[in-house]
Amino acid sequence: MSESNLLFDWVSPDDLNDAVEIEKQGFPEDEAASIEAFRFRQSQAGNLFLGGYLVSGEQRRLIGYVCSTLSPATTLTHESMSTHVPGSSSICIHSICIAKEHTKQGFGSKLLKEYISRLQLAAKDPSTSYDRILLIAHEELRGFYEKAGFEWAGESSVKHGSRPWFEMRKILDSSNDATPLPPADIAPPLQGLPPGLWEALQKSSTSRNKPVPRPLSSFPGGIETLIQTTDTGISTNKFDLLCPRPGCGSIILKHGVAKWFERSSVQMEPSDQPGNPLLSKLPPSPQTTHWWLAGPSPMVFENIGFSRPVASLPPSDTGARLKLLICGECDLGPLGWCEEGGTEYWLACLRVGYHE
C-alpha cells in the first residue's frame, strides 16, 4: 500500500458500519464499542472522528480510524469517557484501530500522526480550548504511543474488559507563533483616542477569535441541516461557510448568500495527482453531489482566491476552461470552481466548513 493511496478524512455516518467491523477485528468482544457508541461519537464530535481510507480509482474504503470526545477532566475516568462536553480542554481518545489485513504496515502511525497534527493546529486557534490528548492502552502498546509523543501516566482507574489499562497523555502546544513587537517599537497612543481603542488596535489579528469549522459529516441530519428556504422557495446556506482547515477559520461566505443545488460532480484535481488529505473526495462525474452557488460577482465572497485556468482539467459543459476556488487566507483548495470569464461560482458542500 503506497502512501499516495492513503486519504485521511472525517468519518461520515455512512462509514460507521465499516468502522464497527474494524473495531470488532481489533478488540475483544468485552472491549469493542457498539454501533450506538459510534453513532454518538460521530454525531457529537464528528470533527474528532478521523478515518483513513484506501483509494483505488474513484473508490475509497475505510481501513482505519481514531475517534474521541471532549471532557473538562484532566484524567480519564468512566464518566469522562462516556460523555461529550463541547468546548472542553481534554481530548479523550476512545479507540485507534486498523483493519486486520492492513496492520503492521505503518498505517496506524501515519493515522495517529495526522490526527495529532490536526489537533495541534486546532489547539492554536483561540476559539478552541484544547490542552491535552488522553488515552488508555494496554501495556504492550506503550512504545507505540511514546514514539508519537505520549507520556506514560500509570495504571488507569478505568475498568473495561478483563485486562488492566494504563493512561497516557500528550500536552498540546497552544502558544501562538507570532512574536509581539518590543515596547520600544510601538508608537505611543495618539492623544484624544477613546479609552481602550489604542489597546484594541495593538492586538494581533491572530488573537481574534476565529470560528471553528464543522465538516458536513458532523451534522446528523446531513445537508438538510444546512439549508434554509426563503419566502420565495429558494434554498440557501443556513450557516456561514468557512475554510475547512483546522486553525484557519476564514469566513468564505456569510449565511444566506449562496444557493443550494444538487448537480453533477466536477473533476477539480488532475487524475494523476492525489487530492489534498484535508479535503473530502467528490464522487466521479456524472454522479451528483451538493453545491453552493454564489454570484454574480466575486464581491459576494468574504474571502476567496482563484487559480489560473487549468488546462489539465476537463472543460465545463459549455466548453470553457475551469478556474479553481481556494481559501484566500491559507490557499487550501480546490474548494470549488468557476468558468473562465463566468459569473457563477460553485463551492462543493463537502469541501467547506460550517459555523452556526
Side-chain angles (χ1 to χ4, degrees):
M1 178 175 57
S2 67
E3 191 162 345
S4 62
N5 291 332
L6 296 180
L7 171 70
F8 299 110
D9 195 8
W10 304 117
V11 173
S12 72
D14 294 338
D15 292 327
L16 290 182
N17 286 332
D18 291 338
V20 169
E21 290 304 312
I22 295 173
E23 175 94 354
K24 291 178 180 178
Q25 295 175 17
F27 291 94
E29 185 176 354
D30 61 350
E31 295 180 6
S34 65
I35 183 64
E36 290 76 20
F38 273 57
R39 287 171 180 159
F40 173 80
R41 297 169 192 172
Q42 195 280 331
S43 64
Q44 299 300 309
N47 61 337
L48 296 174
F49 203 141
L50 184 67
Y53 295 84
L54 180 60
V55 179
S56 177
E58 299 295 340
Q59 303 297 319
R60 70 178 193 175
R61 179 167 56 92
L62 183 71
I63 61 171
Y65 63 86
V66 51
C67 59
S68 306
T69 51
L70 294 177
S71 171
T74 57
T75 189
L76 289 176
T77 63
H78 279 290
E79 181 179 0
S80 64
M81 296 194 72
S82 60
T83 59
H84 172 65
V85 184
S88 296
S89 57
S90 294
I91 301 160
C92 306
I93 292 182
H94 293 275
S95 60
I96 302 173
C97 202
I98 308 299
K100 188 175 182 180
E101 65 269 27
H102 294 289
T103 58
K104 299 182 180 180
Q105 300 177 34
F107 183 75
S109 298
K110 292 184 177 72
L111 177 61
L112 184 57
K113 180 180 179 180
E114 175 70 19
Y115 195 65
I116 293 172
S117 176
R118 295 189 182 204
L119 295 180
Q120 184 62 77
L121 188 60
K124 294 180 180 293
D125 188 331
S127 63
T128 68
S129 303
Y130 298 167
D131 287 337
R132 65 190 67 82
I133 308 173
L134 305 175
L135 61 83
I136 53 174
H138 293 310
E139 191 168 10
E140 65 269 18
L141 291 174
R142 176 175 180 172
F144 172 79
Y145 290 112
E146 285 183 336
K147 288 181 180 178
F150 284 82
E151 297 178 350
W152 185 259
E155 187 167 354
S156 171
S157 63
V158 175
K159 305 298 181 184
H160 183 61
S162 59
R163 300 180 60 195
W165 294 91
F166 297 87
E167 183 167 322
M168 302 190 73
R169 64 189 61 166
K170 179 178 176 62
I171 303 301
L172 296 172
D173 179 13
S174 59
S175 62
N176 198 291
D177 294 332
T179 303
L181 293 174
D185 292 337
I186 300 178
L190 300 176
Q191 298 296 321
L193 286 179
L197 179 56
W198 175 255
E199 289 77 8
L201 291 172
Q202 295 307 307
K203 289 184 179 179
S204 168
S205 61
T206 57
S207 67
R208 298 171 189 163
N209 288 337
K210 292 184 177 181
V212 177
R214 288 184 59 185
L216 172 58
S217 60
S218 71
F219 291 87
I223 190 66
E224 297 297 331
T225 311
L226 308 175
I227 296 172
Q228 62 183 2
T229 304
T230 66
D231 294 339
T232 57
I234 298 175
S235 297
T236 65
N237 57 308
K238 187 176 181 180
F239 305 130
D240 292 347
L241 307 185
L242 311 182
C243 171
R245 186 192 296 275
C248 179
S250 175
I251 299 177
I252 296 173
L253 275 177
K254 298 294 287 184
H255 65 89
V257 174
K259 300 176 183 178
W260 168 79
F261 287 90
E262 183 174 2
R263 55 162 291 171
S264 177
S265 186
V266 172
Q267 181 182 338
M268 294 192 291
E269 287 95 358
S271 56
D272 60 344
Q273 296 182 14
N276 190 306
L278 291 177
L279 299 175
S280 296
K281 186 176 178 64
L282 300 183
S285 180
Q287 295 182 32
T288 62
T289 189
H290 301 287
W291 298 90
W292 298 115
L293 170 62
S297 162
M299 297 302 293
V300 300
F301 290 94
E302 300 295 312
N303 182 18
I304 198 68
F306 297 88
S307 74
R308 296 178 181 274
V310 184
S312 60
L313 292 178
S316 69
D317 294 339
T318 64
R321 292 191 299 176
L322 299 187
K323 297 175 68 175
L324 301 177
L325 278 57
I326 62 176
C327 173
E329 186 165 328
C330 74
D331 294 335
L332 178 64
L335 307 178
W337 61 277
C338 66
E339 293 182 343
E340 182 180 14
T343 59
E344 294 183 344
Y345 306 91
W346 297 88
L347 289 167
C349 297
L350 284 169
R351 291 198 171 186
V352 294
Y354 300 87
H355 179 64
E356 301 182 46

